[in-house]
Amino acid sequence: MSDAVTPLPKAALVEVGSGLAAESARFAARGWMPGTAGNLSVTLGREPLRLAVTASGLDKGELTPADIVIVDERGDSVLGEGGSEQRPSAEAGLHARIARVTGAGAVIHVHALAAVTAAHVWPDGVVLSDLEMLKGIGHAAHGETVTIPVIENGQDMTVLGDAFEARYVRPCEGANDVPALIVASHGIYAWGRDLRQARWHLELTEALLQIALVTR
């Protein structure tokens, strides 16, 4: 277990939990978080890294503000810092890795159909160009090619995190940085500075993937 840090005020955690519950309900209504599938997180602090993650095993359309667990940089539950004692998602470790590597303030993971289908069609990554909505994920609508990375699925979040980090292009390193990752035969992760931007990145990427599949 990590050393405890000063907990966030209860009102702040309720606000975070309310945001996570609202976004979960939104994606559940779209069919992207069926049953207990999928998870979301918000970064609470960076030194040490702390995330509020939706609790495991709960219907994502029925979460309450209390259904969040605070985890550390490995995705392990941290008690005594204001979160619930429920079990965090098994994928919390990948959320933490994405937050640490990208500096994201929020990460969303859903089981959207186009992302899973696209990974079957393009297992080495989904190449996109000359699409207007690329502007919504930080790229030009024309004259630029970007790739949504695809990694193999697995149950070890350290292995998945290593695969993600090996494929991630930091903004300072080139033009192909994208705020999304597809895990083959599983789903998609998207991130942003906050939940709203992460949602936009997710919705835009899923729409881009739908276009790529229809027009291939």
Side-chain angles (χ1 to χ4, degrees), residues 1 15 20 76 78 98 111 126 134 198 205:
M1 297 292 287
E15 182 177 1
L20 289 168
D76 295 333
V78 179
I98 291 171
H111 296 252
V126 185
L134 284 170
T205 303

Side-chain angles (χ1 to χ4, degrees), residues 102 134 137 139 146-149 164 168-169 175-181 191 205:
T102 69
L134 284 170
I137 60 171
H139 294 281
V146 300
T147 302
I148 308 298
F164 153 70
Y168 177 65
V169 178
N176 193 46
D177 58 293
V178 292
L181 170 74
W191 53 89
T205 303

Side-chain angles (χ1 to χ4, degrees), residues 55-80:
S56 180
L58 301 177
D59 189 315
K60 295 307 187 296
E62 300 177 352
L63 295 183
T64 74
D67 293 324
I68 59 171
V69 183
I70 296 177
V71 301
D72 61 16
E73 71 280 357
R74 295 180 299 276
D76 295 333
S77 178
V78 179
L79 301 179

Side-chain angles (χ1 to χ4, degrees), residues 9-213:
K10 183 176 180 179
L13 285 176
V14 169
E15 182 177 1
V16 169
S18 296
L20 289 168
E23 293 299 324
S24 294
R26 176 194 297 269
F27 296 124
R30 297 190 68 160
W32 292 1
M33 301 181 84
T36 65
N39 33 74
L40 299 86
S41 67
V42 167
T43 302
L44 302 176
R46 300 208 175 268
E47 293 186 6
L49 185 65
R50 292 290 188 269
L51 276 67
V53 182
T54 48
S56 180
L58 301 177
D59 189 315
K60 295 307 187 296
E62 300 177 352
L63 295 183
T64 74
D67 293 324
I68 59 171
V69 183
I70 296 177
V71 301
D72 61 16
E73 71 280 357
R74 295 180 299 276
D76 295 333
S77 178
V78 179
L79 301 179
E81 294 185 13
S84 77
E85 296 186 10
Q86 298 176 79
R87 182 165 52 91
S89 164
E91 290 139 350
L94 186 52
H95 280 253
R97 179 75 76 94
I98 291 171
R100 179 175 63 78
V101 170
T102 69
V107 180
I108 299 172
H109 168 50
V110 300
H111 296 252
L113 180 60
V116 177
T117 305
H120 279 286
V121 176
W122 299 290
D124 296 324
V126 185
V127 178
L128 303 169
S129 63
D130 296 326
L131 293 167
E132 189 69 24
M133 282 187 291
L134 284 170
K135 293 188 292 186
I137 60 171
H139 294 281
H142 303 285
E144 187 177 358
T145 299
V146 300
T147 302
I148 308 298
V150 175
I151 64 172
E152 292 185 10
N153 192 23
Q155 302 307 306
D156 187 325
M157 293 304 112
T158 299
V159 173
L160 264 64
D162 290 345
F164 153 70
E165 195 162 355
R167 297 295 303 276
Y168 177 65
V169 178
R170 290 166 176 78
C172 63
E173 295 174 346
N176 193 46
D177 58 293
V178 292
L181 170 74
I182 301 174
V183 180
S185 302
H186 188 170
I188 183 171
Y189 289 77
W191 53 89
R193 62 177 174 269
D194 54 25
L195 273 173
R196 175 179 287 184
Q197 189 183 56
R199 180 216 307 158
W200 291 344
H201 288 162
L202 173 61
E203 292 177 342
L204 287 163
T205 303
E206 178 69 5
L208 286 163
L209 294 172
Q210 290 176 19
I211 294 169
L213 286 166

